[in-house]
Amino acid sequence: MTHPSRAHLTPALLRGLTRARRGRPVLPAPLGPTRRRTLQAGGAAAAALALSGCGVGGQQREPESGADYWVDKEETGSLRWANWPLYMDPDRTQLEQFKESTGIDVAYHEDVQEAASFFGQIQPRLANGDDIGYDLMTVPNGFEFSKLVELGYLVQLDHAQMPNFANYAGEVYKNSNYDPGNRYSVPYASGITGIAYNPEYVDREITSLQDLWDPAFEGKVGMFADPQEIANFGLLANGVLPADSTKEDWEAAAEKLREQRDSGVVRAYYDQDFIQPLTNGDLWITMAWSGDIYQQNSEEGTNLRFVIPEEGATLWTDNLLIPFTSQAPVDALKLMDFLYEPEIATGLTEYISYIPPVPHAQEVMAEWAEAEDGSDRGEALDAMAESNLVFPEEGDYQNLHNFVTLETDQQDEFASIFQAITQS
């Protein structure tokens, strides 16, 4: 039975969704170093970001209610999307399918190189009410997302026009603490910050955040420099849920992390490039992103292990947002919803190998793998469909937490608490 929201997909289009790519059907070059890692503010960028929170109150605007905003908006036939590099296959297959299905052209720009700098680029124009050159943009949960919401720079979404999201989005993606009820955003892709280790050098199973403090790994532990990332691990190591944390909890988490640093177990605090040290043995155990580990093992044949520690780990999400200056908000909304078609979400997942917000993509991917049984692509699809790094189990989600949600006037204080650990 065809779901009503998918009735517009023609048989020819559906066949195209399962057609093998030209050439050897393997995953792309590792996404982490060029996509996920550039998202992390870290170091000087994080400091600049914290300072950018000062004095923005006068630039705040009062957003229109969702109903008032959408009442006179019509489709234009084209839209402009700012996304991260390597976050869609080079042939833009899904955008071609969107045009075939709706007639809407998408001008796709890989212009989001780093979250803080992208915010710095668009914020002055948004403050003036000027067109920023994009009708849709991809922004992670975290400092910048909170600023955009607080300053009134985002459109409140009309969920009546988003049946695919309602029908196919996983429940965990429908009510996050950073955007309750998805008023302003829907997820594009997610990942887990957990622990990775190299079993060539670690001769026991890793299960706990406390393993990152173990003197047995002196000088061989990697930690992230980003304040939001490292804060979550410090909080969880102290038994504090990030969503419930207070300033006193942040300071206690920083003290826990300071003890780790001063003990000598930490080799370095990484903004990027932790995969190679973990592979060659310079690191034995480290904070890590799920997609990076999946890609390294799939493409390089390594046997790195990734775990969600028993105390918990972080679920981060890159989100689709419509700026209030969008010239094509209806078109943008249609594309956002189109990406929740299970077959479309599956195609995106095959390329980027991070977690899709559409759980049904796992079933579709398994069907694709069966249809190409015996081929390289079939084997790759089958391995991905079976991986809990790409498709976490329900129990995994119960132990995953978003970043601490902060108001703008809290961000500089929060960042400085944890930068004192990583930058000193």
Side-chain angles (χ1 to χ4, degrees):
M1 178 178 178
T2 301
H3 193 282
S5 68
R6 295 159 65 189
H8 64 273
L9 291 178
T10 66
L13 178 56
L14 286 171
R15 284 195 299 273
L17 294 171
T18 58
R19 193 177 305 132
R21 296 186 194 136
R22 292 187 296 274
R24 184 172 181 267
V26 296
L27 296 173
L31 185 62
T34 54
R35 156 64 200 105
R36 179 60 199 164
R37 298 176 192 178
T38 58
L39 177 145
Q40 304 304 312
L49 174 57
L51 292 174
S52 73
C54 301
V56 297
Q59 301 160 1
Q60 192 166 354
R61 64 180 295 276
E62 188 66 32
E64 299 175 74
S65 71
D68 291 342
Y69 178 86
W70 291 103
V71 66
D72 62 347
K73 299 299 188 293
E74 297 180 353
E75 185 178 312
T76 68
S78 64
L79 70 114
R80 304 157 297 171
W81 179 9
N83 203 355
W84 296 80
L86 297 180
Y87 229 10
M88 181 173 286
D89 74 80
D91 292 334
R92 310 288 182 251
T93 305
Q94 290 75 30
L95 299 185
E96 292 179 5
Q97 293 161 348
F98 178 64
K99 182 176 180 180
E100 182 176 343
S101 177
T102 66
I104 298 172
D105 282 307
V106 181
Y108 186 80
H109 304 281
E110 294 184 331
D111 287 351
V112 188
Q113 303 291 330
E114 192 271 325
S117 61
F118 182 72
F119 177 83
Q121 170 192 330
I122 64 174
Q123 192 273 334
R125 298 185 224 171
L126 290 169
N128 289 331
D130 297 333
D131 178 20
I132 64 171
Y134 312 113
D135 305 297
L136 180 67
M137 53 190 181
T138 310
V139 176
N141 63 305
F143 289 166
E144 298 83 7
F145 186 99
S146 297
K147 283 189 174 76
L148 289 166
V149 171
E150 187 174 339
L151 292 169
Y153 291 164
L154 301 178
V155 170
Q156 294 185 34
L157 304 181
D158 182 2
H159 281 275
Q161 299 187 58
M162 304 183 72
N164 288 327
F165 177 79
N167 290 321
Y168 298 119
E171 289 304 314
V172 71
Y173 300 105
K174 287 186 174 180
N175 197 32
S176 65
N177 66 333
Y178 61 86
D179 187 20
N182 300 93
R183 293 183 69 195
Y184 301 101
S185 69
V186 296
Y188 180 72
S190 291
I192 299 170
T193 304
I195 296 175
Y197 64 100
N198 190 330
E200 290 187 24
Y201 304 96
V202 177
D203 60 1
R204 70 173 197 249
E205 184 180 4
I206 298 299
T207 61
S208 171
L209 288 173
Q210 304 307 323
D211 290 314
L212 295 169
W213 275 256
D214 192 333
F217 303 135
E218 182 176 359
K220 297 296 185 178
V221 173
M223 299 293 286
F224 286 164
D226 179 74
Q228 296 173 103
E229 290 276 20
I230 200 170
N232 263 26
F233 270 39
L235 289 165
L236 291 168
N238 278 345
V240 177
L241 300 183
D244 300 334
S245 64
T246 64
K247 180 183 176 182
E248 289 72 24
D249 295 323
W250 307 340
E251 291 171 340
E255 181 58 32
K256 175 79 170 177
L257 292 162
R258 185 176 294 106
E259 292 171 359
Q260 179 200 37
R261 180 198 65 191
D262 293 347
S263 74
V265 302
V266 177
R267 178 179 187 267
Y269 295 93
Y270 291 86
D271 292 324
Q272 56 183 346
D273 297 337
F274 64 91
I275 285 289
Q276 193 56 44
L278 182 63
T279 301
N280 65 25
D282 290 337
L283 287 175
W284 293 358
I285 179 173
T286 183
M287 294 178 70
W289 294 302
S290 54
D292 289 48
I293 301 303
Y294 182 85
Q295 292 159 358
Q296 180 72 4
N297 287 342
S298 298
E299 296 159 11
E300 302 299 329
T302 53
N303 189 34
L304 304 177
R305 307 288 174 81
F306 182 89
V307 297
I308 297 172
E310 57 194 19
E311 299 91 341
T314 300
L315 178 71
W316 51 261
T317 300
D318 292 331
N319 302 280
L320 298 170
L321 314 171
I322 301 176
F324 82 97
T325 55
S326 172
Q327 305 298 295
V330 173
D331 309 75
L333 201 67
K334 286 180 178 292
L335 177 57
M336 293 166 77
D337 196 53
F338 183 81
L339 296 177
Y340 277 79
E341 296 272 7
E343 290 86 358
I344 299 298
T346 305
L348 286 171
T349 304
E350 180 185 3
Y351 181 75
I352 64 178
S353 69
Y354 274 96
I355 301 168
V358 179
H360 188 53
Q362 184 174 24
E363 180 181 333
V364 174
M365 186 169 287
E367 293 172 355
W368 290 5
E370 185 177 358
E372 299 203 26
D373 185 41
S375 70
D376 288 346
R377 182 175 184 240
E379 291 178 4
L381 287 169
D382 185 62
M384 183 175 283
E386 294 294 323
S387 174
N388 61 2
L389 300 187
V390 182
F391 297 100
E393 298 177 358
E394 186 60 34
D396 295 332
Y397 278 116
Q398 301 303 314
N399 211 20
L400 297 177
H401 306 271
N402 296 138
F403 294 131
V404 177
T405 300
L406 299 163
E407 300 293 332
T408 296
D409 60 5
Q410 297 176 300
Q411 291 179 6
D412 55 351
E413 181 179 31
F414 178 90
S416 66
I417 288 172
F418 294 98
Q419 287 166 356
I421 307 301
T422 61
Q423 295 182 19
S424 59

